[in-house]
Amino acid sequence: MTTPDKSQPAHGPAAAAALATDEISPAPITDTPTDKATTFLQAHAQTDTTFTCDEERQVLRRIDTRILPLLLGAYFFQQLDKSSLSYVSIFGITEDAKLVGQQYSWLGSILYIAQLVMQPLAAFILVKFPNGKVIASAIFLWGSSQAIMAACTSFQSLLGLRFMLGSFEAMIAPSCIAVTQMWWRRGEQTLRTSYWNAMNGITAIVGSLFTYGLGHIESGVMFKYQIIFLFCGLLTVVYAGVVLAFMPDSPMEAKYLTEREKVIAVERLRANQMGVSSGKWRWEHVWESLLDLKTWCWFVIIVAISGGIGTFGSLIVKSFGYTKFEAILFNIPFGAIQFIVIIASGWVATRFKHKGLTIAGVCVLPIVGTIIMLTVPREQKGVLLFGYYLVSCMAAITPLIYAWQAQNTGGDTKKKCTSGMVFIGMCTGNIIGPLLYSVDHAPLYRPGLISNLVMLVLVAALAILIPFYLMYLNRRHAKRREELGKNAVLVDESMFGKGQVESGKAAELEEAGAGVKPKALEEDNALRDMTDVKNEDFIYVY
């Protein structure tokens, strides 16, 4: 991050970099805890830490081809196993397992109760233990739980195994966010988060095809839902071995990167002002996360969009008058639309750097879809299906919230705790959501749909208001920088686009050639494991 002179306006990254040497910095703070990345860069202090755009692009390409596919697979399998309950809902699980009343709804909710209970432990584990090993272990354990669920033939046994499934799956979404923060710049994180979250759509497609095929198997020994549970669980267990073999714990420990590439991978993250990994649990970060208004804004939004349409999706489509196999196949376009909208919204938010407005815009589509499902007669199946597909666009909001909160939080423990709070909100919404729907409300499901409509309007309103609060926080940080003798205006290099990165790199290399040294680690807050509130150099993004 560079700082332009207070007496002149900034004219791009080159001008900002050229004037960076005029700033007056406060004395180094020696008692502030440091990040593991600091120790790594200090060990390579004698090496040249400047790098060209071509070198950075090569490192980024290697990260994208080695880390991103592993995240895609992990998120795909957790969504596949979690959603298997929805797939088997139309294959007689209520009759075969003798489910009555709200018991099917409780099978959907119990998974999120488990995830909610496990979130504090998940945050602690992600700070204290190697993230790559944590992800592999979690995948193996939840895959095993899914496979064992095939032996369950009663509500009590299904409830117990769904709780175990949720307990181990509690790790995966926070892990994916932690890995995204650890490997990519803030300007790159939104689209990468959209990529792995878009696996929800791919799961709907692949899971529907799996279910369609497996649902045709006639067995005198196993119910159809048992076959589906066993198949999904065993696939997941196999994938756990792949993650264990290929997922590194951090950029500093990636075996597929050379030492030079590791330095570049870490050095490029300094602009984030978020740290990389400390391995130390800090209670002051925990309390700050709980008292931070931003945390509760993300919490309310994620609660509001986490409803029961996912669990009851196939039953809702079936209520339009389609057969059980047609209902399964109609989930394929549902998944394709989710995939497209998630990627498209991530691109728009990255391109225009306004997540709040992007979220508000996305909300319009599911609002219209919900109104259609509430008002159109059941005889007009095509129109109802169109409305259901519009509701699927709601899935694009979740990764934008994940990325928004991740990009606006600094400090290792606080990052994990804030993500944990977001997932507690997600779990809370998913516990309440399915209970707003009931098979007793078929075929209209009006109470659940009306609740979803109200929540979507609330999300759109909050998404418009939150950026104003973030602007206030940026002004407060600017005032603190002036009080410390720094320049009030900072150029946020972590959010640079491709052209801006190239200009900034050219200026940096020109400085290096002229003998101007980059900011020393001791003078930079980026890798001190400071929270966003304490770090006056942190810039909030809208």
Side-chain angles (χ1 to χ4, degrees):
M1 189 171 293
T2 57
T3 54
D5 188 278
K6 286 186 286 188
S7 63
Q8 302 180 41
H11 296 291
L19 293 167
T21 55
D22 293 335
E23 76 173 59
I24 302 173
S25 300
I29 304 173
T30 57
D31 60 347
T32 301
T34 57
D35 195 281
K36 286 183 178 180
T38 303
T39 305
F40 175 82
L41 290 178
Q42 286 174 340
H44 294 76
Q46 303 305 314
T47 62
D48 182 12
T49 58
T50 60
F51 49 90
T52 66
C53 276
D54 287 338
E55 286 182 301
E56 183 173 11
R57 274 196 295 267
Q58 182 179 356
V59 171
L60 179 59
R61 192 179 304 115
R62 300 200 71 181
I63 293 171
D64 282 339
T65 55
R66 294 296 294 269
I67 303 299
L68 189 57
L70 294 173
L71 294 183
L72 300 182
Y75 209 76
F76 168 84
F77 280 107
Q78 74 91 23
Q79 189 64 29
L80 178 68
D81 294 339
K82 180 168 62 178
S83 301
S84 59
L85 181 67
S86 177
Y87 302 142
V88 302
S89 63
I90 59 174
F91 285 110
I93 188 174
T94 54
E95 294 82 12
D96 296 336
K98 299 178 177 60
L99 304 180
V100 295
Q102 292 275 54
Q103 287 183 342
Y104 175 77
S105 296
W106 273 110
L107 291 181
S109 295
I110 193 65
L111 180 139
Y112 296 103
I113 292 175
Q115 289 193 356
L116 187 154
V117 171
M118 293 297 292
Q119 282 308 316
L121 179 60
F124 181 80
I125 290 173
L126 286 172
V127 171
K128 297 292 290 184
F129 297 97
N131 286 186
K133 308 299 187 301
V134 168
I135 295 173
S137 301
I139 294 173
F140 175 80
L141 291 169
W142 91 59
S144 300
S145 300
Q146 177 74 15
I148 295 171
M149 203 184 304
C152 300
T153 56
S154 68
F155 171 69
Q156 291 78 8
S157 57
L158 285 169
L159 192 72
L161 264 297
R162 285 283 291 181
F163 184 87
M164 296 299 295
L165 177 67
S167 297
F168 298 126
E169 280 194 350
M171 296 299 310
I172 193 59
S175 296
C176 287
I177 289 180
V179 171
T180 304
Q181 292 172 314
M182 185 185 294
W183 288 87
W184 286 279
R185 284 194 179 200
R186 291 201 299 175
E188 301 159 352
Q189 289 173 9
T190 302
L191 205 50
R192 271 67 179 185
T193 301
S194 295
Y195 288 153
W196 53 257
N197 201 268
M199 290 299 101
N200 287 338
I202 299 300
T203 301
I205 297 171
V206 176
S208 296
L209 292 173
F210 280 167
T211 307
Y212 183 82
L214 295 170
H216 282 85
I217 298 176
E218 299 295 339
S219 171
V221 179
M222 301 177 70
F223 294 121
K224 293 183 187 296
Y225 78 84
Q226 293 175 306
I227 296 172
I228 293 169
F229 285 166
L230 183 63
F231 178 80
C232 294
L234 292 178
L235 275 182
T236 304
V237 169
V238 171
Y239 185 71
V242 176
V243 174
L244 182 63
F246 295 106
M247 174 70 83
D249 296 317
S250 72
M252 296 82 77
E253 300 162 276
K255 295 180 180 179
Y256 64 89
L257 295 177
T258 65
E259 285 302 307
R260 169 68 175 166
E261 289 172 332
K262 290 177 184 178
V263 170
I264 295 172
V266 174
E267 184 68 32
R268 65 190 294 272
L269 297 179
R270 286 176 67 176
N272 287 348
Q273 293 290 323
M274 296 165 61
V276 178
S277 173
S278 70
K280 296 181 180 180
W281 182 263
R282 306 193 190 284
W283 283 106
E284 64 271 22
H285 288 202
V286 178
W287 309 134
E288 183 177 306
S289 179
L290 292 173
L291 297 173
D292 194 335
L293 180 60
K294 302 193 308 301
T295 303
W296 295 103
C297 290
W298 317 133
F299 180 86
V300 171
I301 289 183
I302 209 75
V303 168
I305 62 170
S306 301
I309 286 184
T311 304
F312 277 79
S314 295
L315 290 177
I316 291 173
V317 174
K318 188 180 177 183
S319 75
F320 297 162
Y322 296 105
T323 68
K324 60 185 180 182
F325 284 108
E326 286 174 336
I328 283 290
L329 292 178
F330 279 131
N331 268 326
I332 295 177
F334 184 93
I337 292 169
Q338 278 192 341
F339 179 83
I340 293 169
V341 175
I342 288 173
I343 299 297
S345 62
W347 182 87
V348 170
T350 300
R351 173 67 178 80
F352 297 102
K353 298 182 175 63
H354 280 286
K355 292 182 186 63
L357 292 179
T358 304
I359 290 171
V362 171
C363 283
V364 174
L365 299 175
I367 286 173
V368 173
T370 305
I371 293 172
I372 289 174
M373 292 172 68
L374 281 168
T375 58
V376 173
R378 281 299 183 266
E379 293 76 26
Q380 300 183 34
K381 295 192 291 185
V383 179
L384 288 169
L385 195 62
F386 174 71
Y388 178 65
Y389 289 156
L390 285 179
V391 171
S392 71
C393 298
M394 181 170 60
I397 300 172
T398 302
L400 292 176
I401 295 299
Y402 289 172
W404 207 7
Q405 65 87 15
Q407 292 169 346
N408 283 293
T409 309
D412 194 21
T413 302
K414 186 180 179 182
K415 287 189 295 184
K416 306 304 191 297
C417 289
T418 303
S419 292
M421 283 293 294
V422 168
F423 289 108
I424 287 174
M426 183 269 290
C427 296
T428 302
N430 278 292
I431 291 167
I432 298 171
L435 298 179
L436 298 175
Y437 290 80
S438 172
V439 292
D440 298 332
H441 298 152
L444 299 179
Y445 296 101
R446 289 187 65 84
L449 291 172
I450 291 172
S451 67
N452 274 85
L453 180 61
V454 173
M455 292 297 101
L456 285 166
V457 173
L458 174 63
V459 169
L462 283 174
I464 293 171
L465 293 174
I466 289 174
F468 291 101
Y469 178 62
L470 297 176
M471 292 176 192
Y472 161 74
L473 293 179
N474 277 338
R475 288 195 297 270
R476 191 171 70 178
H477 272 0
K479 183 178 179 181
R480 285 180 58 196
R481 286 193 294 272
E482 281 190 310
E483 292 171 351
L484 290 169
K486 295 183 176 183
N487 293 305
V489 180
L490 292 182
V491 178
D492 186 3
E493 295 180 1
S494 72
M495 297 297 292
F496 276 2
K498 182 179 178 181
Q500 292 171 304
V501 170
E502 291 177 353
S503 299
K505 278 287 132 194
E508 182 181 318
L509 292 172
E510 184 178 339
E511 278 188 339
V516 178
K517 295 182 179 181
K519 183 183 287 188
L521 288 172
E522 296 78 9
E523 302 172 353
D524 194 351
N525 290 336
L527 301 178
R528 284 182 174 173
D529 196 23
M530 296 176 70
T531 66
D532 55 282
V533 174
K534 300 295 184 183
N535 181 4
E536 70 277 358
D537 294 333
F538 191 95
I539 298 177
Y540 296 96
V541 296
Y542 314 135

